[in-house]
Amino acid sequence: MWKLNERTPEASDAGTPSSGPTNGLGRWEDESGSIRFDLRGGQSHFLVSRQGFPELGLQLDGVETLPLADEQYVRDGRWYLNYPQTSLAHALRLQVKPQTCSFGSLLVVEICLVLQTDLLDTHPTVDLSITNVLIDRLTPKDWNLASPIAPPHRTDALEDGCSPVLVAKQNQSQTAILLDSHDAPFTTDLSDGGDLRIRLFGEFLEKGVIRKARPWIVFGNASQDELSLLHSQLQATPLPLTA
């Protein structure tokens, strides 16, 4: 169940300001727990978190202040948010959809990011980051080596792509990022030491072109087999339509 525009006690404890815009503040709850979202804009990054697990940050590279969300709505269980283009940032749309998961207490969410610009000579990218963690890189069993857009078989990120499953571990808890064959070959792994950072949209964006990526975020101590099965589910899920 979605709960939007609420300044909950959990959010206050986590440092969410008690005033200002509420478009982009949301919480998803089911019997396994809840995921908190601060996607308002007006700051340097977005935050996605589940209490007790490593927190995910999202940031437009080179943009110090994200545009404010000017529109949001929920349809068919998917949360849609729109961020208009400004002189300092590109137009951005987000679609957030919790995924059905049968593995105990895991919580899985798809975050679809859509970038478009009317600015010339630009190269907008989005960074996903999790700080102060140990990092594992996995190759799921379903990774299709015959696919023309799948990268070569690997367990570490290479210059021309990124591992399809990255696991961030912290204090006996973990958060994983899953990338399908649409995204992994065009994602750069910029992780350094104990900070996981990957960069989506590795190619030049021409004026008027729409780029889309849709990582899955897994909050919970999933096994390698569970992550492989979830990755198979991601691979089989059609890319969402642009709203």
Side-chain angles (χ1 to χ4, degrees):
M1 176 185 298
W2 281 112
K3 296 185 177 180
L4 303 184
N5 300 352
E6 288 189 341
R7 301 189 187 279
T8 63
E10 294 94 327
S12 299
D13 292 343
T16 300
S18 58
S19 61
T22 57
N23 269 1
L25 281 180
R27 190 155 49 105
W28 169 263
E29 291 184 339
D30 66 13
E31 62 275 8
S32 297
S34 65
I35 303 176
R36 180 176 62 85
F37 301 85
D38 186 348
L39 309 176
R40 293 169 298 166
Q43 52 198 349
S44 63
H45 56 275
F46 300 129
L47 290 174
V48 182
S49 62
R50 179 185 183 184
Q51 187 173 7
F53 295 88
E55 182 177 67
L56 177 76
L58 297 88
Q59 183 173 8
L60 275 173
D61 181 51
V63 176
E64 294 184 1
T65 303
L66 292 165
L68 293 171
D70 68 347
E71 181 185 14
Q72 67 171 10
Y73 59 93
V74 173
R75 185 175 65 204
D76 297 329
R78 189 181 294 271
W79 183 21
Y80 295 80
L81 301 106
N82 182 70
Y83 305 83
Q85 180 174 293
T86 69
S87 60
L88 300 176
H90 310 282
L92 175 67
R93 292 191 294 277
L94 299 180
Q95 300 179 25
V96 184
K97 175 70 182 300
Q99 300 296 313
T100 301
C101 179
S102 58
F103 303 129
S105 61
L106 300 183
L107 290 176
V108 183
V109 62
E110 175 183 277
I111 302 177
C112 181
L113 305 102
V114 182
L115 267 179
Q116 184 176 13
T117 181
D118 292 326
L119 306 174
L120 293 173
D121 300 324
T122 59
H123 188 178
T125 57
V126 177
D127 288 0
L128 308 185
S129 62
I130 306 175
T131 59
N132 299 317
V133 292
L134 296 174
I135 305 168
D136 284 344
R137 297 172 177 85
L138 309 175
T139 300
K141 297 175 181 178
D142 73 330
W143 198 235
N144 182 8
L145 306 184
S147 169
I149 61 171
H153 187 82
R154 72 188 75 177
T155 57
D156 284 322
L158 299 179
E159 184 176 344
D160 59 343
C162 180
S163 294
V165 178
L166 301 102
V167 183
K169 299 181 178 180
Q170 183 184 83
N171 298 328
Q172 299 184 338
S173 64
Q174 69 181 43
T175 298
I177 301 174
L178 277 54
L179 303 170
D180 66 6
S181 56
H182 171 270
D183 293 325
F186 309 107
T187 299
T188 305
D189 191 339
L190 301 174
S191 302
D192 182 20
D195 294 334
L196 188 158
R197 179 178 294 272
I198 61 172
R199 179 161 293 171
L200 305 174
F201 308 116
E203 293 184 328
F204 179 81
L205 181 65
E206 297 181 6
K207 179 180 177 181
V209 173
I210 297 174
R211 293 294 306 276
K212 184 184 297 186
R214 54 87 179 263
W216 280 18
I217 313 303
V218 182
F219 290 101
N221 294 340
S223 67
Q224 291 191 24
D225 286 343
E226 289 170 338
L227 290 172
S228 284
L229 289 170
L230 285 170
H231 192 270
S232 295
Q233 185 178 336
L234 166 61
Q235 287 281 88
T237 302
L239 203 62
L241 298 175
T242 302

